[in-house]
Amino acid sequence: MQTEVEGIVLKETPYSETSKIIQVLTKEYGLISIIAKGASSIKSSLRGLTIPFLYGKFSISYKENKLSILKTGSIIKLYGSKTKDLKLYAYISYLSELSYNVLKENNNLEIFEILKNGLDKIEDGFNPEVIKNIIEFKYLDYLGITPNFDICQKCNQIKDPYAIDGKIGGFICFDCYTNEIKVSSNYKKIINRFQNVDIKEIKEIKLSKEDQNIINNFLDEYYEKFSAIYINSKKFLNTFK
Ligand SMILES: [Zn+2]
């Protein structure tokens, strides 16, 4: 079927001597694989469309659950190209790789908007770590491992949060507290905001560096413990800490 899709290139791999396969997160079908025949050649008009983090329109011959074929296309924008800041580039790489891994487990069409809006906000100068954490919280739903923040993870009772621990999987109450990271009682509110905010609607981010670190560490540990995802570019990202 000949059709036009809108999407973000998450990955590019060489195929044979001359061609490339790109993994594209599309608005219409979620993650699809597209072959760009001859795209390795300097003369190819498809060459400029197979770049990772390119957001564009692609005219393709679409084949469900198979390799689609790229005919032509146009660039809407290339994420990360405006910046010489390697750190921002590291965030874009990390989020693209994370999205690819989540899509492999759940090819949900909502993920396109989440990633696109997140990358737009990062490019607009919003705190990239907070945007990353918001996306990571949202992706937990698609991975089917949303933490339960209503109960203490040790006694399983509904209590006020006193501490938080990613390896344990959520909050710990005052009675169960041993040596986890202490949080204030408005933490449920902060986390609720992370989970439910519409990224596109974010106008400003008010969060102390301390709270930001606690959230980021929690997500790091939680993903490591409860998801099967391993992100290569995380090492690169961590060099900027
Ligand atoms: Zn408890």
Side-chain angles (χ1 to χ4, degrees):
M1 180 179 75
Q2 295 299 317
T3 186
E4 188 170 81
V5 294
E6 192 180 315
I8 301 166
V9 178
L10 300 183
K11 240 179 155 179
E12 169 236 65
T13 40
Y15 183 80
S16 75
E17 294 272 291
T18 53
S19 301
K20 284 180 179 177
I21 291 174
I22 48 175
Q23 308 292 332
V24 185
L25 169 54
T26 66
K27 196 175 182 176
E28 295 79 4
Y29 304 107
L31 184 67
I32 62 172
S33 303
I34 304 175
I35 183 162
K37 289 181 181 163
S40 296
S41 153
I42 295 169
K43 281 181 264 170
S44 170
S45 60
L46 302 181
R47 189 181 163 90
L49 295 167
T50 58
I51 307 161
F53 324 137
L54 179 147
Y55 169 38
K57 287 190 172 162
F58 304 88
S59 285
I60 58 170
S61 167
Y62 176 68
K63 291 176 183 161
E64 201 181 343
N65 297 323
K66 282 186 195 155
L67 209 48
S68 297
I69 302 163
L70 182 62
K71 301 289 181 190
T72 60
S74 58
I75 300 172
I76 298 171
K77 69 158 100 172
L78 184 58
Y79 287 109
S81 64
K82 277 189 294 184
T83 178
K84 287 204 172 74
D85 187 349
L86 264 183
K87 186 175 154 188
L88 284 191
Y89 197 77
Y91 276 102
I92 295 169
S93 305
Y94 173 87
L95 287 172
S96 297
E97 196 185 341
L98 174 67
S99 303
Y100 177 78
N101 281 282
V102 173
L103 288 156
K104 283 273 180 196
E105 291 198 26
N106 180 359
N107 194 13
N108 191 295
L109 292 182
E110 291 165 0
I111 293 173
F112 172 78
E113 285 291 323
I114 295 173
L115 180 64
K116 181 187 161 297
N117 293 338
L119 295 182
D120 284 341
K121 289 291 173 190
I122 288 175
E123 287 223 322
D124 287 346
F126 286 83
N127 184 323
E129 187 172 85
V130 176
I131 299 295
K132 163 184 163 284
N133 289 160
I134 292 170
I135 292 176
E136 285 171 330
F137 260 121
K138 291 186 183 300
Y139 283 175
L140 291 176
D141 291 349
Y142 301 106
L143 294 168
I145 49 171
T146 311
N148 184 346
F149 286 118
D150 293 327
I151 56 167
C152 165
Q153 291 302 314
K154 287 190 181 174
C155 64
N156 291 324
Q157 290 180 45
I158 299 173
K159 286 194 178 169
D160 283 335
Y162 185 74
I164 193 167
D165 191 304
K167 292 188 288 292
I168 295 174
F171 286 124
I172 295 101
C173 73
F174 177 78
D175 297 324
C176 297
Y177 173 75
T178 49
N179 60 351
E180 299 84 8
I181 295 163
K182 282 189 209 168
V183 295
S184 56
S185 56
N186 69 345
Y187 241 78
K188 263 190 186 171
K189 228 169 143 185
I190 295 179
I191 283 181
N192 200 284
R193 183 103 179 102
F194 267 84
Q195 289 175 308
N196 298 311
V197 66
D198 179 349
I199 298 172
K200 206 167 55 196
E201 303 301 324
I202 296 173
K203 299 276 187 291
E204 61 173 336
I205 293 168
K206 280 192 222 156
L207 194 70
S208 71
K209 187 69 195 158
E210 193 194 352
D211 284 342
Q212 196 186 317
N213 285 341
I214 293 174
I215 298 265
N216 193 48
N217 287 338
F218 171 80
L219 282 163
D220 249 12
E221 291 183 348
Y222 193 88
Y223 265 85
E224 204 165 296
K225 178 81 192 280
F226 296 98
S227 85
I229 290 177
Y230 178 79
I231 311 282
N232 282 309
S233 52
K234 195 168 182 175
K235 236 184 185 170
F236 179 38
L237 186 62
N238 285 340
T239 59
F240 297 98
K241 275 194 172 166

